[in-house]
Amino acid sequence: MITMDDIVREGHPALRKVTEEVPLPPSEEDKETLEEMIQYLKNSQDEQVCNRYGLRPGVGLAAPQINVNKRMLAVHFTDMKDKLYSYGLFNPRIVSHSVEKTYLSTGEGCLSVDREVPGYVPRYRRITVKATDLEGNDVKLRLRDYAAIVFQHEIDHLHGVMFYDHIDQDNPFKEPENATPAD
Ligand SMILES: O=C(O)C[C@@H](Cc1ccccc1)[C@H](O)SCc1ccccc1
Ligand code: NI
């Protein structure tokens, strides 16, 4: 079971590495790791389990966050229209995106960052992601608004990028150009 003890924090070199592509079809070990990452998210959203194990709630988790240098991520959340997104993905990549941007007016946090980092994080408002799922199938996801933000946050982790890298240091709450808030 993944707990907070398994999640590396900022300053750990794993968070700044570009991850290695996962050889396909995925090995049993890689599938098991990805399933454990999804389970962490489910556990973190279950109040009893979350409190019992001192978990931080999360909607996404990328392999570098558990010190695994592999290009794989897990998401588990429902968007504002109650659509469930629950995926374990190997080798996800953004194949197209809108010019239009979005951001969360509350800013972003990160399970690997034990501090508040205030500011808007500009993201693409719409993205298309291609990947391989846990069953080894090719998936193509068209995502927008909050779902697009979550996936971009996790895909960033696979390239050694942290959310605060996107914040305008001179004016963190400067309205991003050509952007509409997702919340
Ligand atoms: O650290 C991570 O990668 C997980 C983040 C992902 C995330 C942060 C901000 C915006 C979108 C995705 C955690 O989910 S941060 C905690 C959290 C929990 C519930 C809802 C939003 C953020
Ligand atoms: Ni994060």
Side-chain angles (χ1 to χ4, degrees), residues 59-61 73-87 89 92 94 96 98 102-104 108 121 123-129 141-156 180-183:
V59 294
L61 188 66
L73 65 80
V75 296
H76 186 78
F77 65 94
T78 51
D79 69 4
M80 283 62 169
K81 293 178 182 164
D82 257 357
K83 177 179 167 58
L84 174 66
Y85 293 82
S86 188
Y87 290 96
L89 297 178
I94 296 173
S96 66
S98 60
T102 186
Y103 61 95
L104 289 173
E108 295 188 11
V121 180
R123 302 274 188 196
Y124 298 120
R125 185 170 188 194
R126 290 178 298 282
I127 58 173
T128 299
V129 171
L141 303 172
R142 289 182 180 81
L143 306 160
R144 59 180 301 148
D145 301 326
Y146 183 68
I149 290 169
V150 175
F151 275 77
Q152 288 174 80
H153 180 111
E154 301 312 328
I155 291 172
D156 266 356
T180 309
D183 53 356

Short mmCIF file of all heavy atoms in Angstrom, two decimals, residues 59-61 73-87 89 92 94 96 98 102-104 108 121 123-129 141-156 180-183:
data_model
loop_
_atom_site.label_atom_id
_atom_site.label_comp_id
_atom_site.label_asym_id
_atom_site.label_seq_id
_atom_site.Cartn_x
_atom_site.Cartn_y
_atom_site.Cartn_z
N VAL A 59 -5.86 13.76 -6.43
CA VAL A 59 -6.65 13.36 -7.60
C VAL A 59 -5.75 12.80 -8.70
O VAL A 59 -6.22 12.27 -9.70
CB VAL A 59 -7.49 14.55 -8.15
CG1 VAL A 59 -8.54 14.98 -7.15
CG2 VAL A 59 -6.58 15.73 -8.54
N GLY A 60 -4.43 12.96 -8.50
CA GLY A 60 -3.48 12.44 -9.48
C GLY A 60 -2.19 12.07 -8.79
O GLY A 60 -1.87 12.58 -7.71
N LEU A 61 -1.45 11.15 -9.41
CA LEU A 61 -0.14 10.74 -8.86
C LEU A 61 0.72 10.27 -10.03
O LEU A 61 0.25 9.50 -10.88
CB LEU A 61 -0.31 9.62 -7.84
CG LEU A 61 0.94 9.21 -7.05
CD1 LEU A 61 1.41 10.35 -6.12
CD2 LEU A 61 0.66 7.95 -6.23
N LEU A 73 1.31 7.41 -15.02
CA LEU A 73 0.56 8.25 -14.09
C LEU A 73 -0.79 7.63 -13.79
O LEU A 73 -1.29 6.78 -14.54
CB LEU A 73 0.38 9.66 -14.66
CG LEU A 73 -0.46 9.86 -15.92
CD1 LEU A 73 -1.98 9.88 -15.64
CD2 LEU A 73 -0.10 11.19 -16.61
N ALA A 74 -1.34 8.06 -12.66
CA ALA A 74 -2.68 7.63 -12.26
C ALA A 74 -3.52 8.87 -11.97
O ALA A 74 -2.99 9.87 -11.46
CB ALA A 74 -2.61 6.75 -11.01
N VAL A 75 -4.79 8.81 -12.34
CA VAL A 75 -5.74 9.86 -11.95
C VAL A 75 -7.00 9.17 -11.46
O VAL A 75 -7.35 8.07 -11.93
CB VAL A 75 -6.08 10.83 -13.11
CG1 VAL A 75 -4.86 11.62 -13.56
CG2 VAL A 75 -6.77 10.12 -14.25
N HIS A 76 -7.66 9.83 -10.48
CA HIS A 76 -8.96 9.31 -10.02
C HIS A 76 -9.72 10.50 -9.45
O HIS A 76 -9.37 11.02 -8.38
CB HIS A 76 -8.75 8.22 -8.94
CG HIS A 76 -10.03 7.56 -8.53
ND1 HIS A 76 -10.64 6.58 -9.29
CD2 HIS A 76 -10.83 7.78 -7.45
CE1 HIS A 76 -11.75 6.20 -8.68
NE2 HIS A 76 -11.90 6.90 -7.57
N PHE A 77 -10.72 10.96 -10.17
CA PHE A 77 -11.51 12.13 -9.74
C PHE A 77 -12.76 12.23 -10.59
O PHE A 77 -12.85 11.65 -11.67
CB PHE A 77 -10.69 13.43 -9.86
CG PHE A 77 -10.33 13.81 -11.27
CD1 PHE A 77 -11.13 14.69 -12.01
CD2 PHE A 77 -9.21 13.28 -11.89
CE1 PHE A 77 -10.81 15.03 -13.32
CE2 PHE A 77 -8.89 13.60 -13.20
CZ PHE A 77 -9.68 14.47 -13.92
N THR A 78 -13.73 13.01 -10.11
CA THR A 78 -14.89 13.34 -10.94
C THR A 78 -14.84 14.84 -11.20
O THR A 78 -14.44 15.61 -10.32
CB THR A 78 -16.23 13.01 -10.22
OG1 THR A 78 -16.19 13.60 -8.93
CG2 THR A 78 -16.44 11.51 -10.12
N ASP A 79 -15.19 15.23 -12.41
CA ASP A 79 -15.12 16.66 -12.76
C ASP A 79 -16.41 17.38 -12.34
O ASP A 79 -17.28 16.79 -11.70
CB ASP A 79 -14.83 16.85 -14.25
CG ASP A 79 -15.99 16.43 -15.15
OD1 ASP A 79 -17.07 16.06 -14.61
OD2 ASP A 79 -15.82 16.44 -16.37
N MET A 80 -16.54 18.64 -12.68
CA MET A 80 -17.67 19.46 -12.22
C MET A 80 -18.99 18.96 -12.80
O MET A 80 -20.06 19.32 -12.35
CB MET A 80 -17.46 20.93 -12.60
CG MET A 80 -16.46 21.72 -11.73
SD MET A 80 -14.78 21.09 -11.76
CE MET A 80 -13.87 22.38 -10.95
N LYS A 81 -18.89 18.10 -13.86
CA LYS A 81 -20.14 17.54 -14.42
C LYS A 81 -20.33 16.11 -13.95
O LYS A 81 -21.01 15.31 -14.57
CB LYS A 81 -20.07 17.60 -15.96
CG LYS A 81 -20.07 19.03 -16.51
CD LYS A 81 -19.95 19.06 -18.02
CE LYS A 81 -19.91 20.49 -18.56
NZ LYS A 81 -19.41 20.52 -19.96
N ASP A 82 -19.59 15.76 -12.82
CA ASP A 82 -19.71 14.42 -12.22
C ASP A 82 -19.25 13.29 -13.14
O ASP A 82 -19.66 12.14 -12.98
CB ASP A 82 -21.16 14.17 -11.80
CG ASP A 82 -21.28 14.35 -10.27
OD1 ASP A 82 -20.22 14.59 -9.64
OD2 ASP A 82 -22.40 14.24 -9.73
N LYS A 83 -18.40 13.62 -14.12
CA LYS A 83 -17.83 12.54 -14.97
C LYS A 83 -16.61 11.97 -14.26
O LYS A 83 -15.73 12.74 -13.84
CB LYS A 83 -17.43 13.11 -16.34
CG LYS A 83 -16.76 12.12 -17.30
CD LYS A 83 -16.42 12.80 -18.63
CE LYS A 83 -15.51 12.01 -19.52
NZ LYS A 83 -15.91 10.69 -19.94
N LEU A 84 -16.57 10.63 -14.09
CA LEU A 84 -15.45 9.98 -13.40
C LEU A 84 -14.29 9.79 -14.36
O LEU A 84 -14.47 9.29 -15.49
CB LEU A 84 -15.88 8.61 -12.83
CG LEU A 84 -14.75 7.78 -12.20
CD1 LEU A 84 -14.18 8.44 -10.94
CD2 LEU A 84 -15.22 6.36 -11.90
N TYR A 85 -13.12 10.20 -13.92
CA TYR A 85 -11.87 9.94 -14.64
C TYR A 85 -11.05 9.05 -13.72
O TYR A 85 -10.61 9.47 -12.67
CB TYR A 85 -11.12 11.24 -14.92
CG TYR A 85 -11.83 12.16 -15.89
CD1 TYR A 85 -12.84 13.01 -15.45
CD2 TYR A 85 -11.50 12.17 -17.24
CE1 TYR A 85 -13.51 13.84 -16.33
CE2 TYR A 85 -12.15 13.02 -18.13
CZ TYR A 85 -13.15 13.84 -17.66
OH TYR A 85 -13.81 14.68 -18.55
N SER A 86 -10.90 7.78 -14.09
CA SER A 86 -10.09 6.87 -13.28
C SER A 86 -9.21 6.07 -14.24
O SER A 86 -9.71 5.16 -14.94
CB SER A 86 -10.98 5.93 -12.45
OG SER A 86 -10.20 5.19 -11.54
N TYR A 87 -7.94 6.46 -14.32
CA TYR A 87 -7.06 5.86 -15.31
C TYR A 87 -5.67 5.60 -14.73
O TYR A 87 -5.17 6.39 -13.94
CB TYR A 87 -6.85 6.81 -16.50
CG TYR A 87 -8.04 7.04 -17.39
CD1 TYR A 87 -8.86 8.14 -17.21
CD2 TYR A 87 -8.33 6.15 -18.43
CE1 TYR A 87 -9.95 8.37 -18.03
CE2 TYR A 87 -9.43 6.38 -19.27
CZ TYR A 87 -10.23 7.49 -19.06
OH TYR A 87 -11.32 7.73 -19.88
N LEU A 89 -2.18 5.20 -16.73
CA LEU A 89 -1.71 5.35 -18.10
C LEU A 89 -0.21 5.18 -18.22
O LEU A 89 0.55 5.74 -17.42
CB LEU A 89 -2.10 6.74 -18.63
CG LEU A 89 -3.59 7.05 -18.73
CD1 LEU A 89 -3.80 8.48 -19.23
CD2 LEU A 89 -4.31 6.05 -19.65
N PRO A 92 1.90 8.50 -21.40
CA PRO A 92 0.93 9.50 -21.88
C PRO A 92 1.66 10.67 -22.54
O PRO A 92 2.75 11.06 -22.12
CB PRO A 92 0.24 9.95 -20.59
CG PRO A 92 1.27 9.77 -19.53
CD PRO A 92 2.05 8.55 -19.93
N ILE A 94 0.73 14.56 -24.70
CA ILE A 94 -0.24 15.52 -25.24
C ILE A 94 0.02 15.63 -26.74
O ILE A 94 1.11 16.04 -27.15
CB ILE A 94 -0.10 16.90 -24.55
CG1 ILE A 94 -0.44 16.78 -23.06
CG2 ILE A 94 -1.01 17.94 -25.23
CD1 ILE A 94 -0.17 18.03 -22.24
N SER A 96 -2.20 17.17 -28.97
CA SER A 96 -2.67 18.48 -29.47
C SER A 96 -3.27 19.26 -28.30
O SER A 96 -3.61 18.67 -27.27
CB SER A 96 -3.72 18.30 -30.57
OG SER A 96 -4.89 17.72 -30.03
N SER A 98 -5.30 23.32 -27.21
CA SER A 98 -5.88 24.61 -27.62
C SER A 98 -4.85 25.72 -27.42
O SER A 98 -3.87 25.55 -26.67
CB SER A 98 -7.10 24.92 -26.76
OG SER A 98 -6.72 24.99 -25.39
N THR A 102 -6.37 27.94 -19.43
CA THR A 102 -7.24 27.95 -18.26
C THR A 102 -6.35 27.92 -17.03
O THR A 102 -5.13 27.81 -17.14
CB THR A 102 -8.21 26.74 -18.28
OG1 THR A 102 -9.14 26.86 -17.19
CG2 THR A 102 -7.47 25.42 -18.14
N TYR A 103 -6.97 28.04 -15.87
CA TYR A 103 -6.22 27.95 -14.61
C TYR A 103 -7.22 27.82 -13.47
O TYR A 103 -8.42 28.09 -13.64
CB TYR A 103 -5.35 29.21 -14.40
CG TYR A 103 -6.15 30.49 -14.34
CD1 TYR A 103 -6.54 31.06 -13.11
CD2 TYR A 103 -6.53 31.16 -15.50
CE1 TYR A 103 -7.28 32.23 -13.06
CE2 TYR A 103 -7.29 32.33 -15.46
CZ TYR A 103 -7.65 32.86 -14.24
OH TYR A 103 -8.40 34.02 -14.19
N LEU A 104 -6.75 27.38 -12.32
CA LEU A 104 -7.59 27.31 -11.12
C LEU A 104 -7.40 28.60 -10.33
O LEU A 104 -6.25 28.98 -10.02
CB LEU A 104 -7.21 26.11 -10.25
CG LEU A 104 -7.58 24.73 -10.80
CD1 LEU A 104 -7.00 23.63 -9.92
CD2 LEU A 104 -9.09 24.57 -10.93
N GLU A 108 -2.65 25.85 -7.46
CA GLU A 108 -2.48 24.39 -7.38
C GLU A 108 -1.64 24.01 -6.16
O GLU A 108 -0.94 24.84 -5.58
CB GLU A 108 -1.82 23.86 -8.67
CG GLU A 108 -2.67 24.05 -9.91
CD GLU A 108 -2.12 23.35 -11.16
OE1 GLU A 108 -1.18 22.54 -11.04
OE2 GLU A 108 -2.62 23.64 -12.26
N VAL A 121 -1.64 29.05 -12.20
CA VAL A 121 -0.82 28.11 -13.00
C VAL A 121 -1.48 27.99 -14.37
O VAL A 121 -2.48 27.26 -14.52
CB VAL A 121 -0.75 26.74 -12.31
CG1 VAL A 121 0.10 25.77 -13.15
CG2 VAL A 121 -0.18 26.86 -10.89
N ARG A 123 -2.60 26.77 -17.82
CA ARG A 123 -2.60 25.46 -18.47
C ARG A 123 -3.37 25.58 -19.79
O ARG A 123 -4.17 26.51 -19.95
CB ARG A 123 -3.33 24.42 -17.59
CG ARG A 123 -2.73 24.25 -16.19
CD ARG A 123 -1.63 23.27 -16.17
NE ARG A 123 -1.16 22.96 -14.81
CZ ARG A 123 0.00 22.36 -14.58
NH1 ARG A 123 0.79 22.08 -15.60
NH2 ARG A 123 0.38 22.08 -13.35
N TYR A 124 -3.20 24.63 -20.72
CA TYR A 124 -4.02 24.63 -21.92
C TYR A 124 -5.46 24.28 -21.51
O TYR A 124 -5.66 23.39 -20.67
CB TYR A 124 -3.51 23.59 -22.93
CG TYR A 124 -2.12 23.88 -23.41
CD1 TYR A 124 -1.08 22.97 -23.20
CD2 TYR A 124 -1.81 25.08 -24.06
CE1 TYR A 124 0.21 23.24 -23.63
CE2 TYR A 124 -0.53 25.36 -24.50
CZ TYR A 124 0.47 24.44 -24.27
OH TYR A 124 1.76 24.70 -24.68
N ARG A 125 -6.46 24.93 -22.13
CA ARG A 125 -7.85 24.69 -21.72
C ARG A 125 -8.37 23.35 -22.27
O ARG A 125 -9.17 22.67 -21.61
CB ARG A 125 -8.75 25.82 -22.21
CG ARG A 125 -10.17 25.64 -21.69
CD ARG A 125 -11.07 26.79 -21.90
NE ARG A 125 -12.33 26.58 -21.18
CZ ARG A 125 -13.43 27.29 -21.38
NH1 ARG A 125 -13.42 28.28 -22.25
NH2 ARG A 125 -14.53 27.02 -20.70
N ARG A 126 -7.89 22.97 -23.46
CA ARG A 126 -8.28 21.68 -24.03
C ARG A 126 -7.02 20.94 -24.47
O ARG A 126 -6.12 21.55 -25.07
CB ARG A 126 -9.22 21.89 -25.24
CG ARG A 126 -10.61 22.42 -24.85
CD ARG A 126 -11.48 22.66 -26.06
NE ARG A 126 -10.92 23.68 -26.96
CZ ARG A 126 -11.00 25.00 -26.72
NH1 ARG A 126 -11.62 25.45 -25.63
NH2 ARG A 126 -10.46 25.87 -27.54
N ILE A 127 -6.96 19.66 -24.19
CA ILE A 127 -5.82 18.85 -24.65
C ILE A 127 -6.33 17.50 -25.14
O ILE A 127 -7.38 17.01 -24.70
CB ILE A 127 -4.78 18.60 -23.52
CG1 ILE A 127 -5.41 17.90 -22.31
CG2 ILE A 127 -4.09 19.89 -23.11
CD1 ILE A 127 -4.39 17.47 -21.24
N THR A 128 -5.56 16.92 -26.05
CA THR A 128 -5.82 15.53 -26.46
C THR A 128 -4.61 14.72 -26.02
O THR A 128 -3.47 15.09 -26.33
CB THR A 128 -6.02 15.42 -27.98
OG1 THR A 128 -7.15 16.23 -28.36
CG2 THR A 128 -6.28 13.97 -28.38
N VAL A 129 -4.88 13.66 -25.25
CA VAL A 129 -3.80 12.82 -24.70
C VAL A 129 -3.89 11.42 -25.32
O VAL A 129 -4.98 10.85 -25.42
CB VAL A 129 -3.93 12.70 -23.17
CG1 VAL A 129 -2.97 11.65 -22.60
CG2 VAL A 129 -3.69 14.06 -22.51
N LEU A 141 -7.68 10.52 -25.24
CA LEU A 141 -8.60 11.25 -24.35
C LEU A 141 -8.65 12.72 -24.76
O LEU A 141 -7.61 13.34 -24.87
CB LEU A 141 -8.13 11.14 -22.90
CG LEU A 141 -7.97 9.72 -22.33
CD1 LEU A 141 -7.30 9.78 -20.95
CD2 LEU A 141 -9.30 9.01 -22.26
N ARG A 142 -9.86 13.21 -24.98
CA ARG A 142 -10.04 14.64 -25.24
C ARG A 142 -10.52 15.27 -23.93
O ARG A 142 -11.55 14.87 -23.40
CB ARG A 142 -11.06 14.86 -26.35
CG ARG A 142 -10.56 14.44 -27.72
CD ARG A 142 -11.59 14.71 -28.81
NE ARG A 142 -11.07 14.28 -30.13
CZ ARG A 142 -11.09 13.00 -30.53
NH1 ARG A 142 -11.58 12.04 -29.73
NH2 ARG A 142 -10.60 12.66 -31.74
N LEU A 143 -9.72 16.16 -23.36
CA LEU A 143 -9.95 16.67 -22.01
C LEU A 143 -10.05 18.18 -22.04
O LEU A 143 -9.39 18.84 -22.86
CB LEU A 143 -8.79 16.26 -21.10
CG LEU A 143 -8.49 14.74 -21.07
CD1 LEU A 143 -7.08 14.48 -20.55
CD2 LEU A 143 -9.52 14.00 -20.25
N ARG A 144 -10.85 18.72 -21.11
CA ARG A 144 -10.96 20.17 -21.04
C ARG A 144 -11.09 20.63 -19.59
O ARG A 144 -11.40 19.82 -18.71
CB ARG A 144 -12.12 20.67 -21.89
CG ARG A 144 -13.47 20.10 -21.50
CD ARG A 144 -14.56 20.65 -22.39
NE ARG A 144 -14.58 22.11 -22.29
CZ ARG A 144 -14.92 22.92 -23.30
NH1 ARG A 144 -15.23 22.42 -24.48
NH2 ARG A 144 -14.95 24.22 -23.13
N ASP A 145 -10.81 21.89 -19.34
CA ASP A 145 -11.03 22.52 -18.03
C ASP A 145 -10.35 21.72 -16.90
O ASP A 145 -9.15 21.42 -17.04
CB ASP A 145 -12.53 22.71 -17.79
CG ASP A 145 -13.15 23.58 -18.88
OD1 ASP A 145 -12.44 24.51 -19.35
OD2 ASP A 145 -14.28 23.32 -19.30
N TYR A 146 -11.09 21.38 -15.85
CA TYR A 146 -10.44 20.79 -14.67
C TYR A 146 -9.71 19.49 -15.02
O TYR A 146 -8.56 19.29 -14.60
CB TYR A 146 -11.48 20.52 -13.58
CG TYR A 146 -10.87 19.98 -12.31
CD1 TYR A 146 -10.03 20.76 -11.52
CD2 TYR A 146 -11.11 18.67 -11.91
CE1 TYR A 146 -9.46 20.26 -10.36
CE2 TYR A 146 -10.54 18.16 -10.75
CZ TYR A 146 -9.72 18.96 -9.99
OH TYR A 146 -9.14 18.44 -8.85
N ALA A 147 -10.32 18.66 -15.85
CA ALA A 147 -9.68 17.38 -16.22
C ALA A 147 -8.38 17.66 -16.98
O ALA A 147 -7.35 17.00 -16.73
CB ALA A 147 -10.63 16.54 -17.07
N ALA A 148 -8.40 18.65 -17.83
CA ALA A 148 -7.18 19.01 -18.58
C ALA A 148 -6.09 19.49 -17.63
O ALA A 148 -4.91 19.17 -17.80
CB ALA A 148 -7.50 20.09 -19.61
N ILE A 149 -6.49 20.23 -16.58
CA ILE A 149 -5.52 20.72 -15.60
C ILE A 149 -4.87 19.56 -14.85
O ILE A 149 -3.62 19.50 -14.73
CB ILE A 149 -6.19 21.70 -14.61
CG1 ILE A 149 -6.56 23.00 -15.32
CG2 ILE A 149 -5.31 21.97 -13.39
CD1 ILE A 149 -7.45 23.93 -14.52
N VAL A 150 -5.69 18.62 -14.38
CA VAL A 150 -5.14 17.48 -13.62
C VAL A 150 -4.16 16.70 -14.48
O VAL A 150 -3.03 16.41 -14.04
CB VAL A 150 -6.27 16.56 -13.12
CG1 VAL A 150 -5.70 15.31 -12.44
CG2 VAL A 150 -7.20 17.30 -12.16
N PHE A 151 -4.55 16.39 -15.71
CA PHE A 151 -3.66 15.59 -16.57
C PHE A 151 -2.37 16.36 -16.89
O PHE A 151 -1.28 15.79 -16.91
CB PHE A 151 -4.38 15.21 -17.87
CG PHE A 151 -5.23 13.96 -17.76
CD1 PHE A 151 -6.46 13.99 -17.14
CD2 PHE A 151 -4.76 12.75 -18.28
CE1 PHE A 151 -7.25 12.84 -17.02
CE2 PHE A 151 -5.54 11.59 -18.17
CZ PHE A 151 -6.77 11.64 -17.55
N GLN A 152 -2.47 17.68 -17.10
CA GLN A 152 -1.25 18.46 -17.38
C GLN A 152 -0.33 18.50 -16.17
O GLN A 152 0.89 18.42 -16.30
CB GLN A 152 -1.60 19.87 -17.85
CG GLN A 152 -2.19 19.88 -19.26
CD GLN A 152 -2.67 21.25 -19.68
OE1 GLN A 152 -1.92 22.12 -20.10
NE2 GLN A 152 -3.98 21.43 -19.58
N HIS A 153 -0.93 18.60 -14.95
CA HIS A 153 -0.12 18.60 -13.73
C HIS A 153 0.67 17.29 -13.64
O HIS A 153 1.87 17.29 -13.33
CB HIS A 153 -1.03 18.77 -12.51
CG HIS A 153 -0.30 18.78 -11.20
ND1 HIS A 153 -0.20 19.90 -10.41
CD2 HIS A 153 0.39 17.80 -10.54
CE1 HIS A 153 0.52 19.61 -9.32
NE2 HIS A 153 0.88 18.35 -9.38
N GLU A 154 -0.01 16.16 -13.94
CA GLU A 154 0.66 14.85 -13.82
C GLU A 154 1.66 14.61 -14.95
O GLU A 154 2.77 14.11 -14.71
CB GLU A 154 -0.38 13.73 -13.80
CG GLU A 154 -1.41 13.82 -12.67
CD GLU A 154 -0.77 14.06 -11.31
OE1 GLU A 154 0.38 13.60 -11.07
OE2 GLU A 154 -1.39 14.76 -10.50
N ILE A 155 1.30 15.01 -16.16
CA ILE A 155 2.23 14.81 -17.30
C ILE A 155 3.47 15.67 -17.09
O ILE A 155 4.61 15.24 -17.37
CB ILE A 155 1.53 15.10 -18.65
CG1 ILE A 155 0.50 14.01 -18.93
CG2 ILE A 155 2.54 15.21 -19.79
CD1 ILE A 155 -0.41 14.27 -20.12
N ASP A 156 3.29 16.87 -16.50
CA ASP A 156 4.45 17.70 -16.14
C ASP A 156 5.43 16.93 -15.26
O ASP A 156 6.65 16.96 -15.45
CB ASP A 156 4.00 18.96 -15.38
CG ASP A 156 3.78 20.18 -16.28
OD1 ASP A 156 4.07 20.09 -17.50
OD2 ASP A 156 3.33 21.21 -15.76
N THR A 180 -9.38 31.40 -19.37
CA THR A 180 -10.66 31.40 -18.64
C THR A 180 -10.49 30.51 -17.41
O THR A 180 -10.01 29.37 -17.57
CB THR A 180 -11.77 30.78 -19.54
OG1 THR A 180 -11.75 31.42 -20.80
CG2 THR A 180 -13.13 30.89 -18.88
N PRO A 181 -10.82 31.00 -16.21
CA PRO A 181 -10.67 30.15 -15.02
C PRO A 181 -11.54 28.90 -15.12
O PRO A 181 -12.66 28.95 -15.64
CB PRO A 181 -11.11 31.03 -13.85
CG PRO A 181 -11.72 32.24 -14.44
CD PRO A 181 -11.35 32.33 -15.87
N ALA A 182 -11.02 27.77 -14.65
CA ALA A 182 -11.76 26.49 -14.74
C ALA A 182 -12.74 26.34 -13.58
O ALA A 182 -13.60 25.46 -13.60
CB ALA A 182 -10.77 25.32 -14.72
N ASP A 183 -12.59 27.19 -12.54
CA ASP A 183 -13.48 27.05 -11.38
C ASP A 183 -14.23 28.36 -11.11
O ASP A 183 -13.99 29.35 -11.77
CB ASP A 183 -12.70 26.63 -10.13
CG ASP A 183 -11.50 27.57 -9.88
OD1 ASP A 183 -11.25 28.49 -10.71
OD2 ASP A 183 -10.81 27.37 -8.88
#
